[in-house]
Amino acid sequence: MIRHFVWALRRELWENRWLYLAPLGMAGVLVAGFGVYAINLPSHVAAAATLGASRQRAALLAPYDVAAGLMMIAGLLIGSIYCVDALHGERRDRSVLFWKSLPVSDLMTVVAKITIPVVVMPLIVWACTVAVHLAMLLASTAILAAAGQSALPVWTSVGLAANSLALLYHLLALHGLLTAPLYGWLLLVSAWATRAPFAWAVLPPVAIAFLERVAFGTTHFAHLMLSRLSAGLESMPTPAGGALLDSMSLMPLSQFVMKPTLWAGFAVAAMFVAGAVRLRRSALPL
């Protein structure tokens, strides 16, 4: 069963090579962009040296924060686009008939599909982000050495090993597990909609938020949706200096696991996945 599940995951990556090619392309763009920024890096480092310790660290971390933030946004967008098309696409191109003929259950297929954005995409984004940060650090070292300056302040501020582990935890916990209900909803819509699945995925939540605002004057549903989309970062304390990378490890694992919203989200995601499985079981080509 585990072997079949692994093959189901490999099938998704084989069919959707853009799942890893898009982050790799984004990583290349970020490295190229940093190359342009790094032309003036010696002056930026010299200016940061005149600041206090926390402000100096935040200033040197700024481009790494931008790279990590853009990679995380890209990961969320890629995961969402994948889920919207995951079950609708196989009905549209009639490949659902072929895949349903294989000895892989509908449950395993749908679980494999939601595992892609919840687990696999965060790992891909993490690997690409770490590679981008390492490339930025090596480029910084070469440029500063050519200018006769030390790169030690940059390496110390970035703290590649510690920040990489914190980033991995952040991506898996907040961008993966905490966001599972949203991905489950997108899969459910993908299994149900006959056309325009993206519109069907977006319009109902927007309508609910609008009706709540008009009827009750509250925005609880919109806040819930935004908190999921922002991976719960708005509820976390602001780190000293305001650096994004410093916020990654502020929530202890024990505190995250005990969050009622996490388990409520799992329950909602399970219902959406069950609905998608039931719909796929009777799915016909469009």
Side-chain angles (χ1 to χ4, degrees), residues 126 163-176 236 247-257:
W126 174 77
N163 275 331
S164 296
L165 292 176
L167 180 63
L168 178 62
Y169 162 62
H170 174 87
L171 287 169
L172 286 173
L174 301 185
H175 287 254
M236 298 174 66
S247 69
M248 300 303 181
S249 58
L250 287 180
M251 183 182 295
L253 179 60
S254 58
Q255 179 183 341
F256 174 76
V257 172

Side-chain angles (χ1 to χ4, degrees), residues 205-224:
V206 172
I208 292 173
F210 178 76
L211 289 175
E212 180 199 356
R213 183 70 178 87
V214 172
F216 305 104
T218 59
T219 57
H220 299 304
F221 184 78
H223 177 74
L224 176 63

Side-chain angles (χ1 to χ4, degrees), residues 25-112:
M26 182 71 174
V29 171
L30 290 174
V31 172
F34 180 77
V36 176
Y37 167 85
I39 295 175
N40 297 317
L41 184 63
S43 61
H44 292 319
V45 173
T50 63
L51 304 174
S54 61
R55 293 182 63 190
Q56 177 185 0
R57 187 169 186 274
L60 295 178
L61 266 178
Y64 299 85
D65 277 348
V66 171
L70 290 176
M71 286 300 303
M72 286 188 283
I73 292 173
L76 288 172
L77 290 175
I78 292 169
S80 299
I81 294 171
Y82 163 80
C83 286
V84 168
D85 192 62
L87 295 171
H88 182 268
E90 65 179 15
R91 289 184 294 144
R92 185 181 62 246
D93 61 17
R94 306 179 70 87
S95 64
V96 64
L97 298 176
F98 170 74
W99 295 118
K100 286 171 72 69
S101 68
L102 300 179
V104 180
S105 67
D106 294 299
L107 175 61
M108 182 175 293
T109 298
V110 176
V111 170

Side-chain angles (χ1 to χ4, degrees), residues 14 19 23 46 93 230 245 285:
W14 173 70
L19 287 172
D93 61 17
S230 64
L245 290 173

Side-chain angles (χ1 to χ4, degrees), residues 132-215:
V132 169
H133 284 176
L134 181 58
M136 291 167 65
L137 283 170
L138 294 177
S140 298
T141 302
I143 291 172
L144 291 173
Q149 295 178 240
S150 172
L152 183 60
V154 178
W155 282 86
T156 303
S157 298
V158 174
L160 184 63
N163 275 331
S164 296
L165 292 176
L167 180 63
L168 178 62
Y169 162 62
H170 174 87
L171 287 169
L172 286 173
L174 301 185
H175 287 254
L177 299 178
L178 196 66
T179 319
L182 296 180
Y183 293 131
W185 163 253
L186 295 177
L187 281 175
L188 177 63
V189 173
S190 181
W192 171 81
T194 56
R195 60 178 59 189
F198 180 79
W200 283 110
V202 172
L203 290 179
V206 172
I208 292 173
F210 178 76
L211 289 175
E212 180 199 356
R213 183 70 178 87
V214 172

